[in-house]
Amino acid sequence: MKELTVILVTALAAGSLGFLIKVPDIQQPTTRISSMGWIHMQKLLLPLFDNVCEESIDPTIVRLAQEFTLDSIADKYTDPEMVNNLKKLYGVNGQLQKGVIFTELNQDHMYEFQLLYDVLYNAQTFDTFYKTAAWARQNVNCGLFVNAIYLAILKRRDTEKITVPAPYELLPHYFIRQDIIIKASSLLAGGDVAVTESIVNEGNSYILDANYTCNIDASDESKLAYFHEDVGLNTYYFLKKLQYAPWFNTEDVNSNHAEYLYHFLKQLNARYNLERYSNGLTLLEKFDWKTTNVDSYDPMLVFSNGQGFTPRLSGLEITGLNTLQNIEDNIMKIIPTLVQNGYTKSQIISNLMNLLMTNVENYELDARRIFGGVAIENRYRSVLAHYMTSLRDPVSWKINQKIVDMVDEALKSLPGYTRNELYFPGVQVVNVEVKKLSTMFEPFKFEVTDALRISTDRPIFDVSVVESRLNHKPFTLKLNISSLVSQKGLVKIYLGPKILPGEFAMKKDLYMLLDNFECNLKIGSNVISRTSNAIERTSEDFVSLKVLRKLVEDAEFGLDVQPLNSLENLSGFPSRLLLPKGTPEGLPMQLLVFVAPFIKVTAAGINVMPKTEYNSAILSPGYPFDLDFDDKQFFSLPNVLVKDIIITHKDSSGAKKGEYDGSKKWDGSDKTNTYGPKREPYDYNLKKTQYGKPQDYEAKKDDRATSAPKVNDEVITESIQVTKDDEHNNLNPEIEESSYFSDKEPYALRLVNRPYEKYDYEARKQKYNYEEKKNKYNTRNEARRTKYYNKYVIENKTPKPENDILEDKININDDERYNIDDKKSMMKLHPKTTLVNNIEDTNLKVIPMYEAATTSELSPVIAILQRDDYIYE
C-alpha cells in the first residue's frame, strides 16, 4: 500500500503544468495530477485485463486484493450506504460465483452489477478506485467484473484519458466461433494442430481464419452474418447498453435519457435496414409476432467454462407470445390518456421506454427470454441473454424494431411538424457533392493469447484471429449553403434508400443519420467540406493489450507518447460501417441534407435572450423525423435538399488464401529459429567472379568498337526511328521480310552490331542556338505586352490594377436593379446597368451583397472576394 501511495504522489507532483480532474461527487475537492499522470494510471490498470477470467498473478493486484477490506476504507466513498449493501451481499453466500455464467437478463446478477459499479464509481480518489478494482478482479465473477470496470472507467472523470483493450480481446468466446476457440486453446496448451489454409503461421505467431457462421453468398437472411457478427458492431452495442443501464433513468442524471435511448435503437435499426436493402432483402417494417416466422439459429459459440450457447431449433412452438401481445395492447391503450393529460413528446417517450426497456421487468426482457431458448433453464445460455452477443441473432433486430414501432405509433397521436417548425429563414441548401463511394471487405487481426492461455507462464508464441470485415474508402461531402445573415446552423445529413416521390413521409424511418454538426454561416455562399473521418459519433478500432503495454514502456523511457483514444471516444458507432455494402454495378441511394436553426443547450437551460422565439423541436435528437410532416411541404423548403448517389462494392473476400506463409509449423523446439526455411550462407566472393574482373569490361568494350564496320576509318553511325510495333516485328525472324527494315539486316542484329560512340555535347549545342531562340521569344512577348497596354489601358484610360487587385475606385448606384436572366451562369448584370471606367470590358461582374444572398444559382461559385457591400467574382 505504501508503494502504491508513493507512486501516485510522485505522479501528482511531477510537474506544475497540470489539469483538474473532477471526481464523481461535485462536492468533493478536485485532484490535480501532472500532464503525464495518465501514463501511470494506464500502467496500473493494464494488469486488470490480463487473462481476465483467471485469477491475476500480478504482484501488485495480488497484494492489494489480500489487504483490501470494505470496513477499512468505508469512509473513502461518497456514499457509505453503497459500501454497506455490497458488504452485506458478500457477507453471505448470495454473491455470484466466479465460474457461473453472468447474464444481463437475470435481475440478481444485475443487482450485484449495480452494487459493484456504484462502489467503483463513488470512490473519492483514484487510489481507492484502483484498490477496489484489484479486489474485484480477484474475487468477483468474470463477466460481472468486465461490465463494472468498463462502465466505471466510462463514467469517472479521473479516468477520462484511460483506454482499455477491446471486449473481443478479453472475452473472445463471445465473438469467435466455437471451433476457432478450441483450436486456439489447443495451440496454447501445446496440442498438435495441423497447419492448413485456415491455420497458418506468420513469424512467431499462429493466425486462425475465423469465418462467419453463414455463407456471405447465401440467398436468405444468413448472408448478413458478416454484419450480425461484426466484432466492432457488437462491441458498440455492448458499451451503449452499459451506458443506458436501467438505474441511470433518473431526472438527476439525464432528463433526456429515454429519448436518447429510443433514438439509439431507431438509428441502429435504420442502419440494419440499409444493409438488408443492399443485399436485396425485405426491410424490417411493422409486423405481428403471431404472423412472423422466427427461424432457427445456432450461434456456434462456447462459454469460457466450456458450456455451449443454446441454439434455437426450428419447428418448435414458441410459448409466451400471448404475454408479449398483452403488453403491446396495454401500451397502446394508455397512449390516448397520456395525450389527453397534456404530456409532452419527451414525457410520452419516457413513460413508454420505462415499460419497454428500463423498468426492472420490461417488454424487452420478456421477449429475449421467450426467444432465448425452449427450456427455462437454458434461456440464460442464449446469445439474446448477453449484451456482447445479442446482435448475432436476427431475432434481436426484430425485438428492437418492435420497440421502435410502438413508440413511433404513440408519437403519431401528437400533432405533426408545421412548416414554421421545419423552415430556417434565409438559409438555402444549394448543392451537395460527393465523389465515388465504394465499399470492400478487409482482413482484421486481433490477439487472443492472453484470454485463452491456461498456464501462468507467458507462451513462447502468440495466437491471433483474422476475419474479413466490411469497410469503405474515405469520402468527402461538400455542401454549398447560402445565407442572408450571419448565424449558426445545425446540419443533419441522412443516408437512405432511393424512395419514390410522395413516399418519403411514410418511409422516413429508413433513413440513417450519417452526420450531425453545427456550422457558422456567413452572408452569401458557404462551402463546407466534411470528410468521413471527421464524422462525429464514430470510433476507430481498439488498441490491443500488447500494443498498450509497449506504448506505456516507451513513455516510461522518455519517448513522446500522446494520450490514446479514451474509452469514451472508442464507444461510438464503427466508422467502417458508415456505408452499407454496395453492389458491383452500383447501389442507388439518397443523401438528404437538412439545416435547422442552432440552439445551444446549457446547464441552466436554452441559451437565448428573453422574449426570443425559438424552435424547441430541434432540441429532440430525432428531429425532424420523429413526428409526422407533409411530404410535399417538407421538400419545398429551401433548407432541405436530396441528392442521388451510387455506392459500389469491390468484390473481395478480405483475407486471401495463401496470404500468410504457412509452409512450416511452429513446434516451439528452438526459440531462435524454428520457423521458415533454413538458408545457406551467402558467398559474396562467388557472386563477384560471376561477372569477371573490372579489366574484363574494358576488353569487351574494345572488342565491340573494333568489330563494328568502318568506312574510310570512320565508324558508321545511323539514326534509326522505330515504333514499338516495328521493333517487336523485327525482333521476330519469321516476319523479317515484311518488317520495316526488310531491305536491310534484321533490326535485332543491327542493335547488337551498333558501335559504341561517345556523345558530342558541343556539336549538339552548336546545332541548336538557344540564345537566338531566347531573343526571339522576348521580342514576341514585348510586342504582345505593348498591344495589350494600348488596347486596355490607353484606349479606355483605365489605370492598370496593381497586383491584380481591383482598387476601390468604382462608383455604383446602389439603387440600380439587377436581374438574373441566364440559369446556366452565376450572376449577370442588367443590360441597362452603367458602370464607370468601362469596367465591363475587364469581364468583372458586380452584384449587391443582399441580392447575391437571394440568388438561387450559387452552386458554381468557387471563390468570392468581398468588399464592403458588393461581391466581386
Side-chain angles (χ1 to χ4, degrees), residues 462-475:
D462 296 326
V463 176
S464 299
V465 172
V466 62
E467 65 178 11
S468 182
R469 303 189 306 173
L470 181 65
N471 201 350
H472 61 81
K473 291 184 178 180
F475 60 88

Side-chain angles (χ1 to χ4, degrees), residues 571-606:
S571 62
F573 187 78
S575 58
R576 299 176 295 100
L577 300 178
L578 281 175
L579 301 180
K581 182 173 71 72
T583 57
E585 64 277 6
L587 180 70
M589 302 285 288
Q590 285 182 333
L591 282 176
L592 187 145
V593 182
F594 176 77
V595 185
F598 177 79
I599 304 297
K600 188 173 182 61
V601 179
T602 62
I606 302 171

